[in-house]
Each structure stands twice: as C-alpha cells, then as structure tokens.
Amino acid sequence: MSDGKPTTTDPRAQSPEDPSLVQIEKPSKVAGGIPSILATAKTTWNEMGVARGVRTLLKLNQKTGFDCPGCAWPEPDDERSHAEFCENGAKHVADEATTKRVTPEFFARWSIADLAEHPDHWLGKQGRITSPMVLRNGATHYEKISWDEVFTLLGGELNALDHPDEAIFYTSGRTSNEAAFLYQLFVRQFGTNNLPDCSNMCHESSGSALGETIGVGKGTVTLEDFNLAQAIFVIGQNPGTNHPRMLTALQKAKQNGARLVHINPLPEVGMTHFRHPQDVLHWFGGGTALADLFLQVRINGDVALLKGIMKEVLAAEDRNPGAVLDHEFIANYTDGFAEFAESIKTAHWGDLLEQSGVSKAHIEDAAKIFIESERTIFCWAMGLTQHKNAVANIQEIVNLMLLRGQVGKPGAGLCPVRGHSNVQGDRTMGIWERPTDAFLDKLGAEFNFEPPRGHGHDTVRAIQAMHAGQAKIFFALGGNFLAATPDTEYTADALRRCRLTAHVSTKLNRAHLITGRQALILPCLGRTEIDLQAAGAQFVTTENSMAVVQASRGFLRPASEELLSEPAIVGRLASATLGQRSAINWQELVADYDRIRDHIERVVPGFDDYNNRVRHPGGFHLPSPVSKRVFRTLTGRARFTVHDLPEHNLLPDQLLMMTIRSHDQFNTSIYSLDDRYRGIHNGRRVVFLNQDDMALLHLIKGQVVDLVSHFEGEERIARNFVVVPYSIPRRCAATYFPEANVLVPVRSVAEKSNTPVSKSVVISIRPVTDEVK
C-alpha cells in the first residue's frame, strides 16, 4: 500500500514462528503446585521487580486493595488469604503493572508496517503506552498528540457523521461500572444504541438462554453454595487455565464430600489433580483428585449428552415413581414439562451416543451422580456458548436442573463462569445494544432526555456495518478488538474502511496497527494505579460472576503523568462531542465518582444506598429473584424447552474444530509461547488431533499443515500449524485463539445470541510438506 500500512493483519501468518522450534511433550498430570509458584514469581519479578511485585500481589483481590483485572471469579465474603490470587491473575497484573514503557520515541522508531511484522506476544511485551498518539491520514508512523487535540478531533469527526448510528462504541469487560455507566449515557445522548461489547462474543448465549427460561441472564449461585453442594458438573470449561482460583473452591467442595463431573472434549489437568500453591504440605505428590467422572464429549455433542442424562433420569423416575423428580417444584414453578418429557423419551439412544461420543455406561454414571445429589451446581463457559446451537446447549442444562428442583435453593444452581473481570457489571450498567424499555425510561428520567429506542449493532453486526460502509467511526473502550473477533481478514478490512478508529488502551496490540484512515491510541490508567481526580483519590467498582459488587482501589503510581482514567476519557469525549446539547456537567461527575454512583443508584435496580454499601469491606450482593424461586419469564415460571439435535454433515476428510486458550494466556493477552499443561513449548500455531484421525489423514506428529475452514462454499486458510497428537475425540480438532480466528466466518453465528461460532468450525487439513520438525 502506498501509505506504508500493513496489507495483512499479520504478515507472519504466512511465515510464523519457526515450526522446528515447537516442542511437544507429555501434558502435565497435576495443576498448581511448585511449577505454578515458579511461573508466578518469574513473570512478576521480570515485569515489576521483586519489591514492587510482592507489594502489588499482596494488594490483589484484598478488600482494601484492587480487583484482579483478569477473570471474574469471586473472592470469599469472609476471611481472605494474604495471597488471594492465582498464577494467571498474577501474570495479568504483572502485564499491566510492568515497568516497561512504550513512549513517543518508540513510535517514531517503529513504523506501522514494521510493527505489524511482529507477533502479538512481542507487541504486548513492549510495555505500557505513555502518551496519546495519532496516526494521521497517509502517515506511516504514530505521532504524539495532546489530549485537547484528541477530543477536538473525536468530537469533530463524530459530529460530522450523517447519523449517530454511523458510529460504533465497543466496550471491553475490564471497564469499571463507573466508566461503563458514563459511556452508555454519553452514547445514548449522542443518539445511538451501537454498544457492542465482548459479552457478544462469549456469554451472550448464556444471557439469552437463561433470560428465556429462568427470567434473568445471570448465574444463580454464590461462592458459599460451592461449600454446600453435593455434586458439581463442570461442562465446556477449563478452570485450571481460565479461572484457576475456581480450583480452590472445587478442592474445598471435594473435601466436603461433593462429587465432581467434568464434561469436555479435552481432558484438562486442572480438573484432574490440583496442588494448592499455598498449601505447603501438599506441594509434592499427586495433589487432590478432583473429577470423579470425566465424560469426553465430542465437540458440540453436549445437547446429545445432556439429553442422554435426562433420559436416564426420567427412566429412573419411571422405575421409582415420585422418588427421582421434584414433582412439587415442577408443578408449582415450571411450565412445558409434558412436551419436554415426551421429546426426551422419544429421543433415540443410537443418535445420542453417536453424536455425544460418550458410552451409555458413562452417561448412566453421570445420571446416577445427578440423581443422588440433593444439591447440584452446573458450571459452564465458552465451550458451550460458541456454537450455532449454543442457547440450546445451556437450556438443556436448565431442563436437567429443573427436573430435580436444583434452582433457587442453597448449594444448588446455575453458574456461567464469566471470562473478564467486569463483563457482567458492564451489562448491568447498560452496555447493551438491545436495552430494555424499563432501563431507558429510568435513564431518560434521571437525565431529562429521550434515549434512542431502536436496537443497535452487536459485535458481529458492527463488523458487518463497518465493512458495508454503514459505520464510519469505531471507538473501543479497552480490548483488542481485531484479535478478539472472528474472521480476522474480513474484520481488518472493515476497520480499514472507517474514517477514524480509536482505542482506549494500556498496551500495544494488533488493533492499533490495522486502522481507519486516521487512528488514535488513548492510554488509560490500569486497575492497579492511583486514580486522582479533582475531589481526590477515587475508587471504582466491579461486579463478578456471582453478582457481588465491590470496590477496587489502585495504589501504584501511574505509568505516565499523561494517562487519564477511563471515566475521565469518557467525560471529556462527551463534553467535546455534545457541548450544549447535553445538560450534564460531565466534568463534575468525573471529579468525584460518588456522583456517578448516585446516578447509578437511581437508574439501575439493586444498587440502593450504593456509595455506602460498596464501602463495606467485600461489597454487597445484588438481589437474585431466582434464589427465592421468582422467575421473571413471560409466564412467571421457569420454562422447560425442547431442542433438536444439532447436525454436522462432515465430509470424510473434514473435522470439527474449536478454538481454546493456552495456559499462558488471558483472552488476547499472550504471556509466553508455552502451554505447559498441554505439553507445548516455543509455539502457538499447533493443531491438536486424534491419533486415529492422523493415521486416516496420513499425518504424523510435528508435520506442518495448513488449516482450511469451509462455510457456505467459502474457504478460509490459516497457514503453518504443527500437528500435535492428543487425547481428543475422533473427527475433532483444537487450535489456539486468536491465531485460528481467521478460520471463523463472520456470518457463522449462534441462533438468538448472534455469538460467533468459534467452537464449531468445519475444517480440512492440507499438508504443507512431508517434512517433520
């Protein structure tokens, strides 16, 4: 290109890290323990230094400290450990609190094209961005820009649009409640509901499924329920890598006598054996055995498997009438049971066993554990939510739990485990492209304006709108949009068609290199840093997976004096864009976040006496109607639903692929090229395959191949992946996210939720060469 910008999202995709450097070893047998401690220490010391690192980690997840910017697993309500963090949480904090810096001089030295030659891992390792930067039309390098110029540019471009719907306002799950509330308020006063967020790509399916069936799109359990549960099912989730502190809760539940069932296409070491890093007496040996039963389901065989378990439960009820099902609960609190039960009884065992890949004996074992438990919890994550039939996956879990009244009582319930620290809170604050009329009515009344009522774009529709030229400005409050989204080349092309792209960021990422005609990087404070405003030092709040709202207080000196907080960026953007059209004193709100929370209290249900309650150590629980067996569905009852088995008509040489995270990764942040739990070192472009499939396809360990996805007659190619034999069901494959996102079609989405189908991608494999590393 004449402007010197990169022509592909990642030139190294054509010639990535040398495949000969990839080392394939045996997977780990135990999670946690000394290796976890050493990995934590190494990353912390390298990024922050010893004294700063220790001081920071001792503040992490403490009641008077800061909330982990990583996953959304909750902290105990009562006493907390002095080291209330996991390996990956420590790495995420070290990544944010690094002493390395990306200065204007760095950008003067590196052109966009040169930066694009480096992998995402290298980009993230360069350090914290210190100054606002602009890439002007036709330029090859970013240059420094003042904050005043930033907001003049943004306000001018936004006001030059023909319609507010030509702007896209994306949100990352790291954004605090205060920043999210201000952001959606500004966007709606600007005149659009184009508020896509990262939830659109992960647990949107959970919200859709649960909203229809139990009346609320959130989980129904607390951390204390794990101490009371007699059985815990973990399906489509890898806690050891994605939510490591969850292993402590599972270990405690196991010690209390609970039985654990793990359902997943890959055996994950975190659900097999766990050595608690803080338990010195158990640093050695086999650790605590966790899962009593492992069901190695085929990719997207979950509906079939769950139907099989329910078929066994109904059969047990037939053999012992009144002894298995909770008839009182079904009669008083549910509807649709008769039609549902008939659909399960008529389902054919042959179809269920073939599609699930699980033996009838193992399904009977799972049903037995479920039937014998009076208090059961079901946990899941993106292994269920990123399929075309994702909503059906989750509603089948609801069906199973309703059979025995395992909702709305202590020690039992539904637990979608969120992947980012405040993704649930952002939705509570109104970050949603389809807001309810009730929310808009309260928002409009509080601020004396009429919010737009038409639905906006979710993430997929936002990409398509930019690609079609219908959206011309893209603004991201956090995140690495290009790396997180599907169909990488299509998304990159969509971003390039914008007049302006702007990213509120802490560190350099791929999205800064694939830009519109103009681009801005707006560096912000991290969760670990002091947030000093006109009224003094501020704290922010977050909501975790179990609807606990708590304060987060940064304590480190900001990485640069030029950084602004996210609320400050939003407030100044609103002032510059709306001017006299808004009666809100934005800078007054930014000066003291208590004022933002006062407004939240009057708009968002459950936040009564917000400023006082959130100052209580540990915060407060939002009300859960389901805990009292109040189901705010269309019928006022929890609903049984009926679903067909999904179909995958694979050709003889095709496989069904899912994307996964490595152990040294959080979302799009890559900490190293290793995945020690799965035995992979020095590379990420690997494809995990069943050995029988490898033999059938004439592939051998270490061979370099291209992956080709097939969708509606289209092909997409991800080049130079190393073949890894692994314990995975036949006709299945697994690859790392985001490297394989290029294979995920933007039009391949889940029914109802519109979530990208990243866990059911039809692929074939083409050998690059017969040579083996």
Side-chain angles (χ1 to χ4, degrees):
M1 295 176 65
S2 60
D3 61 4
K5 294 182 181 179
T7 57
T8 67
T9 59
D10 184 1
R12 292 173 67 87
Q14 304 303 320
S15 181
E17 65 262 8
D18 186 348
S20 67
L21 298 179
V22 177
Q23 297 178 12
I24 305 170
E25 300 176 356
K26 291 183 178 180
S28 299
K29 294 182 178 180
V30 184
I34 291 179
S36 181
I37 295 171
L38 294 176
T40 299
K42 179 181 177 181
T43 301
T44 302
W45 306 165
N46 286 345
E47 296 292 340
M48 294 191 286
V50 176
R52 175 183 166 95
V54 170
R55 195 161 52 99
T56 302
L57 292 183
L58 290 178
K59 288 281 189 179
L60 177 55
N61 292 326
Q62 298 301 322
K63 292 179 179 179
T64 58
F66 64 93
D67 188 42
C68 181
C71 84
W73 189 256
E75 292 75 44
D77 287 336
D78 46 20
E79 291 299 317
R80 299 183 184 180
S81 163
H82 291 298
E84 191 63 50
F85 57 85
C86 65
E87 174 189 342
N88 279 6
K91 289 176 179 175
H92 197 78
V93 168
D95 195 57
E96 176 186 295
T98 180
T99 57
K100 301 171 186 174
R101 300 291 180 260
V102 174
T103 64
E105 290 73 24
F106 173 93
F107 286 105
R109 186 167 65 252
W110 291 91
S111 71
I112 299 300
D114 289 339
L115 288 171
E117 291 293 327
H118 290 278
D120 292 9
H121 172 244
W122 183 91
L123 295 175
K125 286 295 182 183
Q126 300 314 297
R128 290 287 299 279
I129 302 169
T130 63
S131 305
M133 306 298 297
V134 62
L135 183 67
R136 302 192 187 278
N137 191 9
T140 60
H141 291 67
Y142 276 99
E143 62 185 71
K144 187 175 178 179
I145 183 174
S146 72
W147 281 110
D148 285 345
E149 291 177 284
V150 163
F151 296 114
T152 297
L153 173 60
L154 281 167
E157 288 288 344
L158 287 169
N159 285 325
L161 295 173
D162 292 334
H163 192 279
D165 286 342
E166 292 182 338
I168 304 294
F169 297 94
Y170 176 77
T171 313
S172 159
R174 192 201 66 164
T175 302
S176 68
N177 285 343
E178 293 74 15
F181 185 80
L182 272 193
Y183 191 48
Q184 63 82 31
L185 175 60
F186 155 63
V187 171
R188 292 189 166 111
Q189 283 214 335
F190 179 64
T192 184
N193 282 314
N194 284 347
L195 282 161
D197 71 332
C198 59
S199 184
N200 296 150
M201 295 181 284
C202 55
H203 273 288
E204 195 69 50
S205 300
S206 297
S208 297
L210 297 177
E212 288 182 354
T213 53
I214 63 171
V216 63
K218 300 180 181 182
T220 69
V221 299
T222 67
L223 196 56
E224 177 59 26
D225 287 321
F226 280 77
N227 296 329
L228 303 175
Q230 294 179 344
I232 301 172
F233 286 69
V234 179
I235 179 170
Q237 184 195 1
N238 176 15
T241 288
N242 300 333
H243 314 90
R245 284 189 300 133
M246 182 178 175
L247 297 184
T248 301
L250 294 179
Q251 182 186 51
K252 188 173 181 180
K254 182 74 173 178
Q255 292 167 347
N256 290 340
R259 304 183 71 185
L260 307 185
V261 179
H262 186 213
I263 303 170
N264 202 54
L266 297 180
E268 301 292 7
V269 65
M271 284 300 300
T272 306
H273 290 86
F274 174 55
R275 288 193 293 244
H276 198 306
Q278 297 177 36
D279 187 352
V280 179
L281 297 178
H282 293 90
W283 278 359
F284 304 96
T288 301
L290 292 181
D292 296 274
L293 178 65
F294 173 51
L295 304 182
Q296 191 167 25
V297 66
R298 284 180 174 161
I299 292 175
N300 205 20
D302 306 282
V303 167
L305 175 62
L306 292 164
K307 284 181 181 289
I309 295 174
M310 290 185 284
K311 199 171 179 69
E312 283 297 310
V313 172
L314 293 178
E317 171 67 18
D318 289 342
R319 292 191 296 270
N320 298 282
V324 177
L325 302 187
D326 188 336
H327 290 281
E328 181 180 0
F329 176 85
I330 292 172
N332 293 335
Y333 294 102
T334 76
D335 60 19
F337 173 74
E339 181 185 0
F340 156 78
E342 180 62 23
S343 73
I344 294 298
K345 289 180 179 180
T346 57
H348 297 290
W349 270 115
D351 295 334
L352 303 182
L353 299 177
E354 169 63 25
Q355 191 168 117
S356 69
V358 177
S359 70
K360 190 169 185 295
H362 277 156
I363 292 175
E364 290 170 352
D365 291 339
K368 185 172 186 291
I369 291 173
F370 181 76
I371 291 169
E372 292 177 350
S373 169
E374 293 301 319
R375 298 183 296 277
T376 302
I377 293 174
F378 243 96
C379 306
W380 70 89
M382 284 180 282
L384 290 193
T385 66
Q386 294 181 328
H387 301 276
K388 182 178 181 181
N389 51 282
V391 171
N393 286 342
I394 296 152
Q395 290 185 341
E396 294 288 18
I397 291 175
V398 175
N399 287 337
L400 176 59
M401 296 288 274
L402 295 181
L403 287 176
R404 286 182 47 77
Q406 298 288 2
V407 177
K409 67 179 184 180
L414 303 161
C415 183
V417 184
R418 306 282 177 170
H420 214 321
S421 58
N422 200 41
V423 64
Q424 185 161 299
D426 290 346
R427 181 58 57 86
T428 302
M429 292 297 107
I431 300 293
W432 195 22
E433 75 282 354
R434 294 179 289 120
T436 64
D437 285 338
F439 177 85
L440 294 179
D441 288 344
K442 280 196 166 186
L443 186 70
E446 177 70 11
F447 294 99
N448 194 28
F449 81 109
E450 179 53 44
R453 298 284 169 162
H455 289 174
H457 295 312
D458 61 15
T459 296
V460 166
R461 293 188 179 98
I463 295 169
Q464 292 169 329
M466 288 187 287
H467 198 275
Q470 297 165 356
K472 299 178 175 64
I473 293 178
F474 175 80
F475 186 97
L477 189 59
N480 182 354
F481 187 79
L482 180 62
T485 46
D487 217 339
T488 311
E489 293 297 339
Y490 180 94
T491 300
D493 194 31
L495 291 168
R496 290 192 192 99
R497 297 183 184 201
C498 290
R499 289 200 327 226
L500 173 66
T501 51
H503 298 269
V504 177
S505 305
T506 56
K507 303 187 76 177
L508 191 62
N509 65 53
R510 183 69 51 190
H512 301 143
L513 310 181
I514 305 299
T515 70
R517 290 199 294 272
Q518 298 183 89
L520 290 166
I521 301 175
L522 312 179
C524 67
L525 293 174
R527 192 77 62 78
T528 57
E529 292 170 320
I530 297 170
D531 183 351
L532 190 62
Q533 303 298 334
Q538 303 296 308
F539 67 87
V540 296
T541 61
T542 59
E543 177 188 344
N544 62 36
S545 270
M546 297 181 187
V548 178
V549 179
Q550 60 188 352
S552 178
R553 299 172 175 85
F555 78 103
L556 293 176
R557 178 183 298 175
S560 166
E561 293 181 354
E562 296 185 69
L563 303 185
L564 295 182
S565 72
E566 287 183 327
I569 291 173
V570 173
R572 291 187 64 177
L573 174 61
S575 294
T577 304
L578 301 176
Q580 297 302 311
R581 287 178 285 160
S582 175
I584 296 170
N585 187 333
W586 297 92
Q587 298 315 306
E588 184 178 75
L589 295 179
V590 171
D592 186 345
Y593 297 172
D594 277 0
R595 296 166 185 161
I596 303 174
R597 288 186 283 269
D598 284 341
H599 286 297
I600 293 172
E601 176 181 332
R602 293 190 288 269
V603 173
V604 183
F607 284 81
D608 308 294
D609 200 21
Y610 191 2
N611 273 309
N612 288 326
R613 286 200 295 158
V614 82
R615 282 176 164 83
H616 182 274
F620 61 92
H621 289 257
L622 290 173
S624 173
V626 175
S627 67
K628 299 177 181 179
R629 294 190 164 174
V630 174
F631 302 104
R632 294 174 178 168
T633 63
L634 293 175
T635 63
R637 291 168 169 256
R639 301 176 62 194
F640 284 96
T641 52
V642 176
H643 304 282
D644 295 329
L645 290 175
E647 293 185 6
H648 296 291
N649 299 313
L650 299 177
L651 297 178
D653 65 339
Q654 291 179 341
L655 308 170
L656 199 60
M657 184 202 81
M658 65 178 184
T659 60
I660 57 177
R661 289 188 203 167
S662 76
H663 184 63
D664 233 10
Q665 170 182 4
F666 177 77
N667 290 347
T668 59
S669 298
I670 311 300
Y671 305 131
S672 83
L673 301 181
D674 297 339
D675 185 353
R676 75 171 189 274
Y677 281 178
R678 297 191 183 100
I680 304 299
H681 300 274
N682 298 329
R684 292 179 49 83
R685 300 182 77 86
V686 298
V687 54
F688 298 97
L689 298 175
N690 181 285
Q691 292 196 36
D692 290 339
D693 289 328
M694 288 171 55
L696 186 67
L697 297 171
H698 306 292
L699 300 173
I700 55 179
K701 177 182 177 180
Q703 189 170 355
V704 180
V705 299
D706 291 343
L707 309 180
V708 183
S709 71
H710 305 273
F711 181 76
E712 297 182 350
E714 301 171 351
E715 290 188 351
R716 292 163 175 79
I717 302 177
R719 300 190 185 281
N720 298 324
F721 280 67
V722 174
V723 172
V724 177
Y726 209 77
S727 176
I728 187 171
R730 291 290 311 275
R731 309 297 300 277
C732 296
T735 53
Y736 291 133
F737 154 99
E739 285 79 1
N741 283 4
V742 68
L743 299 173
V744 183
V746 73
R747 301 191 316 280
S748 180
V749 294
E751 297 164 346
K752 297 184 179 181
S753 69
N754 212 41
T755 297
V757 176
S758 299
K759 296 289 191 289
S760 289
V761 183
V762 177
I763 67 166
S764 59
I765 297 178
R766 295 176 183 171
V768 172
T769 170
D770 292 333
E771 295 179 4
V772 181
K773 77 171 191 67

